[in-house]
Amino acid sequence: SLPAGFTRIKHADYTNSGYDRGHLVRSEERTIDDADNKSTFLLTNILPQRPDLNQGVWYDMEQWCETMCKDSTKELFVIAGGIYTSNSKINNLVAIPDSCFKIVVVLEAGQRLSSITKTTRIEAVIMPNIQGIRADNWQKYKRTVDEIEAATGYDFLNYVRKDIQAVIESKPSIF
């Protein structure tokens, strides 16, 4: 559904590049039906990740998110993406993020936007897109939402009341 003239990345563009096709939303998180699951394989949901990031510390955080939902019956609001500071590309086509971020708002089952308070748990990370970090624990890369906003230029959680947003975006997680 990209407009005419946009470069259309193909799975083959990643072949032999040294990068995994890193999912922002895992296939395991979209299992309501086949169409929902197949949507996770669209390249708009994928970015280049070094294997040690994708298969290691990033995966470790994905597993933590899954455990929070399944075992702790929490509902998570997750925002993930890349941070691009250099102009590196695979085959002059696929932009390579220098690091990847994830913001997780942890809610109780059934809670929504209006339930977010100054004490709502937020987990935010910036992980370098490099080799050599496979065995790291994801907590090593904790940051604040404010730090991610500064690195990306985006304004996250902007539908949360401003006084609450100011508090939860500036505090590091203590959990």
Side-chain angles (χ1 to χ4, degrees):
S1 64
L2 290 173
F6 272 62
T7 301
R8 296 174 193 277
I9 304 302
K10 301 175 294 302
H11 282 277
D13 293 329
Y14 282 79
T15 303
N16 298 320
S17 68
Y19 289 89
D20 288 354
R21 294 165 189 89
H23 288 74
L24 296 172
V25 177
R26 295 185 320 149
S27 168
E28 294 86 348
E29 295 167 355
R30 294 284 190 250
T31 57
I32 291 173
D33 57 37
D34 284 344
D36 193 43
N37 183 260
K38 286 180 183 176
S39 73
T40 67
F41 294 95
L42 296 174
L43 288 168
T44 52
N45 183 51
I46 293 173
L47 47 71
Q49 289 183 328
R50 287 289 187 187
D52 279 2
L53 171 62
N54 186 47
Q55 299 169 34
V57 65
W58 188 262
Y59 179 73
D60 184 37
M61 187 173 195
E62 290 174 331
Q63 290 299 110
W64 174 83
C65 289
E66 184 175 321
T67 298
M68 290 298 289
C69 290
K70 288 183 177 178
D71 297 344
S72 300
T73 63
K74 303 290 185 191
E75 290 190 19
L76 306 182
F77 177 72
V78 181
I79 306 165
I83 299 172
Y84 301 84
T85 54
S86 66
N87 199 17
S88 300
K89 294 183 180 179
I90 298 172
N91 300 324
N92 272 341
L93 291 172
V94 184
I96 302 168
D98 298 284
S99 53
C100 296
F101 71 88
K102 190 171 285 209
I103 300 166
V104 181
V105 179
V106 182
L107 301 172
E108 296 299 326
Q111 287 187 324
R112 297 290 178 254
L113 178 67
S114 60
S115 306
I116 297 174
T117 69
K118 292 178 182 179
T119 60
T120 296
R121 183 175 182 178
I122 307 288
E123 296 291 348
V125 296
I126 297 176
M127 299 179 185
N129 194 8
I130 58 173
Q131 289 295 92
I133 63 171
R134 184 179 296 250
D136 287 354
N137 189 296
W138 67 267
Q139 287 92 344
K140 175 180 178 179
Y141 299 101
K142 284 186 178 187
R143 300 292 185 272
T144 66
V145 175
D146 283 341
E147 289 174 285
I148 296 172
E149 288 178 335
T152 63
Y154 294 124
D155 180 17
F156 298 109
L157 309 180
N158 57 329
Y159 287 107
V160 175
R161 250 183 35 212
K162 295 298 179 198
D163 60 317
I164 295 171
Q165 183 184 5
V167 171
I168 63 176
E169 288 188 356
S170 65
K171 68 178 179 179
S173 173
I174 56 172
F175 296 92

